[in-house]
């Protein structure tokens, strides 16, 4: 039993010390026109890799795995903002039409 407890403690220590590799990005946008609050949102990398989600009532979310900080662009309609995403949780709050003024919180590199 003692060996089992030592093995379990060691396993939990290894898991707890493993670096985080996942990120989550949640957004809440406002707009003068309610029709702008629904539609596709893109998270794009240089070189063409991208992810897409649907914005519903101004809210959207992305999640994924990263090995290192990576430069992305968040694209909403004709607007985009640069983001530096690393394994962390992020929030984006802003107004469609003024996306470059959005407040972005999360991650050491982005802050």
């Amino acid at each position: 039993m003692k060996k089992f407890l030592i093995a379990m403690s060691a396993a939990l220590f290894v898991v707890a010390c493993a670096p985080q590799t996942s990120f989550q990005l949640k957004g809440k946008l406002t707009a003068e026109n309610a029709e702008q609050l629904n539609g596709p949102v893109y998270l794009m990398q240089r070189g063409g890799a991208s992810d897409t989600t649907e914005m519903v009532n101004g809210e959207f979310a992305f999640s994924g795995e990263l090995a290192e900080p990576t430069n992305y662009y968040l694209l909403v309609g004709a607007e985009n903002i640069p983001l530096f995403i690393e394994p962390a949780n992020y929030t984006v709050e802003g107004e469609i039409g003024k996306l470059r003024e959005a407040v972005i919180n999360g991650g050491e590199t982005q802050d």
Side-chain angles (χ1 to χ4, degrees):
M1 183 68 165
K2 187 175 182 181
K3 288 181 183 180
F4 175 75
L5 290 175
I6 291 172
M8 288 302 294
S9 296
L12 286 173
F13 179 76
V14 169
V15 170
C17 293
Q20 180 181 353
T21 60
S22 63
F23 76 91
Q24 185 174 46
L25 174 101
K26 291 184 178 183
K28 176 67 177 160
L29 302 178
T30 61
E32 289 183 16
N33 181 348
E35 292 177 6
Q36 294 176 302
L37 296 175
N38 298 295
V41 178
Y42 304 93
L43 189 60
M44 304 180 72
Q45 273 185 289
R46 290 182 192 223
S50 68
D51 193 3
T52 307
T53 192
E54 280 294 312
M55 180 169 51
V56 177
N57 297 323
E59 295 185 9
F60 61 90
F62 289 96
S63 62
E65 300 288 323
L66 291 173
E68 60 188 11
T70 306
N71 188 28
Y72 283 91
Y73 291 91
L74 183 68
L75 181 64
V76 180
E79 294 183 280
N80 70 70
I81 53 173
L83 298 170
F84 220 75
I85 298 179
E86 61 191 304
N89 294 321
Y90 295 86
T91 59
V92 176
E93 295 181 359
E95 182 178 349
I96 295 174
K98 299 178 184 177
L99 204 55
R100 290 284 176 151
E101 299 172 15
V103 175
I104 303 164
N105 291 305
E108 292 178 26
T109 308
Q110 184 65 42
D111 285 342

